[in-house]
Amino acid sequence: MAVDPQIMTMLERITAVSGDTAPAERLAPAEARRAMAAVLPLLNEHAPAVARVEDRTLPGAEGPIAARVYDPGTPTPSPAIVYIHGGGWVLCDLDSHDGVCRELAQRSGLKVVSLGYRLAPEHPFPAALEDCVAAVRWLAAQGRDWGIDRLVIAGDSAGANLSLATLLALRDAGEQPLRGAALVYGVFAPDHDTPSHLAYGGDNRYFLSTAEMEWFWGHYVPAGTDRRTPLAAPLYADLAGLPPLYLTAAEYDCLRTDSEQLAYRLALAGQPHEFRLWRGMIHACLHMAGNVEVMRAEIDRLAAFLRRQATA
């Protein structure tokens, strides 16, 4: 189907706010972060109210990491979604995904713990993953101090990569504190000759380009390191023995093939999963639920999956 008209309106508004700012791949990371900050009000527009939001810290792999807890008013203790934000491992933070976490908390009825892991290139692979694994371990062991007794995980884009890699690292260590995962238009391999990269990655018309993904990978996994190591590129991992997964891909997204190939490999491994293609959508559409009606129904489906896994 064609790009959703409400998505087209959002793209026009983002272009107007961005002005003549160069694409991220032509900027230094600090400049790209400032450019992203200018778009944040649009991405968080019309975010719902949540009963309680609290900034906290928890132990990371190399020191404290920032966390934000969204409580829609659940009893204590109760399940929580550990949320890993996207941004190509280089951009974004707790504020960029505030609206997403509010939507998930309200629509799932679960607490959400958003993690502010270390970013590249200051902290390249595996720093972000180490923070996510350490945070999940701490929440599994000490979560009752925060009113949490069960955990699922979710993430978008690079956050979906980190969510899946966290599951793999914990499985390999003989641990399974997570009951399920939602992986939203994730980046799962460094391959840029895929059908979706060729179809939708030639420029920034759909919010994310192949050139920008190459820039992200270059900062996250520096030259000299194998980008296909399974914890950086989980498409190449052994995918057996994981909790149930919910995968989504946006139709007009250069990363679409990543999720389609992951769904295929999960099926070959006999791994329980659901896959949903978001027709007419683009990368970052998860942020646009306040202005894109279709996305509200899709977040409801995703949230329902996480609630089923958390409460099973």
Side-chain angles (χ1 to χ4, degrees):
M1 63 180 291
V3 177
D4 185 281
Q6 291 179 320
I7 287 286
M8 291 300 300
T9 298
M10 288 299 297
L11 285 171
E12 291 166 2
R13 295 179 66 198
I14 290 168
T15 298
V17 168
S18 300
D20 58 359
T21 303
E25 66 270 17
R26 300 181 194 170
L27 302 174
E31 295 172 319
R33 289 166 187 157
R34 287 193 292 271
M36 176 61 74
V39 179
L40 294 187
L42 284 181
L43 298 183
N44 288 315
E45 200 168 46
H46 307 307
V50 175
R52 183 181 179 192
V53 179
E54 183 179 3
D55 286 339
R56 308 190 73 165
T57 60
L58 50 73
E62 296 291 337
I65 64 174
R68 185 170 294 166
V69 182
Y70 300 80
D71 185 351
T74 61
T76 298
S78 58
I81 302 166
V82 179
Y83 196 82
I84 315 297
H85 70 75
W89 310 283
V90 176
L91 309 177
C92 298
D93 53 21
L94 299 181
D95 291 337
S96 65
H97 285 64
D98 182 72
V100 168
C101 291
R102 288 172 178 271
E103 291 282 1
L104 278 178
Q106 185 196 65
R107 294 176 183 277
S108 69
L110 303 176
K111 295 181 177 73
V112 175
V113 181
S114 182
L115 299 181
Y117 56 85
R118 289 173 291 165
L119 298 176
E122 296 88 346
H123 305 282
F125 173 82
L129 175 59
E130 290 171 346
D131 278 349
C132 294
V133 170
V136 169
R137 282 177 168 149
W138 187 88
L139 287 167
Q142 307 294 332
R144 282 186 174 266
D145 294 344
W146 289 14
I148 294 166
D149 62 356
R150 286 157 285 173
L151 297 172
V152 290
I153 195 168
D156 65 289
S157 194
N161 171 296
L162 291 168
S163 296
L164 181 52
T166 296
L167 289 170
L168 294 167
L170 291 168
R171 179 206 62 191
D172 292 348
E175 305 169 48
Q176 196 175 67
L178 297 162
R179 294 170 171 241
L183 310 176
V184 178
Y185 42 68
V187 49
F188 301 118
D191 307 322
H192 298 147
D193 58 353
T194 64
S196 58
H197 270 288
L198 296 174
Y200 309 121
D203 53 35
N204 289 309
R205 75 177 66 185
Y206 301 119
F207 194 85
L208 180 68
S209 70
T210 300
E212 190 173 9
M213 281 308 311
E214 182 62 34
W215 184 82
F216 286 137
W217 275 104
H219 287 306
Y220 183 51
V221 185
T225 304
D226 183 7
R227 290 184 179 179
R228 291 197 176 197
T229 186
L231 292 181
L235 183 64
Y236 299 109
D238 172 4
L239 297 171
L242 301 176
L245 306 177
Y246 188 92
L247 281 66
T248 76
E251 183 176 9
Y252 292 89
D253 185 354
C254 63
L255 296 181
R256 171 179 169 177
T257 303
D258 284 47
S259 292
E260 292 172 335
Q261 290 180 335
L262 180 62
Y264 175 74
R265 291 213 55 232
L266 290 168
L268 289 180
Q271 169 63 41
H273 70 283
E274 299 178 32
F275 173 73
R276 186 165 179 83
L277 179 62
W278 289 346
R279 296 286 184 183
M281 297 293 110
I282 62 168
H283 200 78
C285 60
L286 189 67
H287 286 83
M288 302 177 187
N291 292 291
V292 178
E293 184 177 357
V294 170
M295 280 309 303
R296 294 193 280 276
E298 293 296 353
I299 296 176
D300 280 338
R301 291 187 180 93
L302 187 154
F305 171 87
L306 290 171
R307 182 172 182 83
R308 286 196 304 273
Q309 299 308 316
T311 58

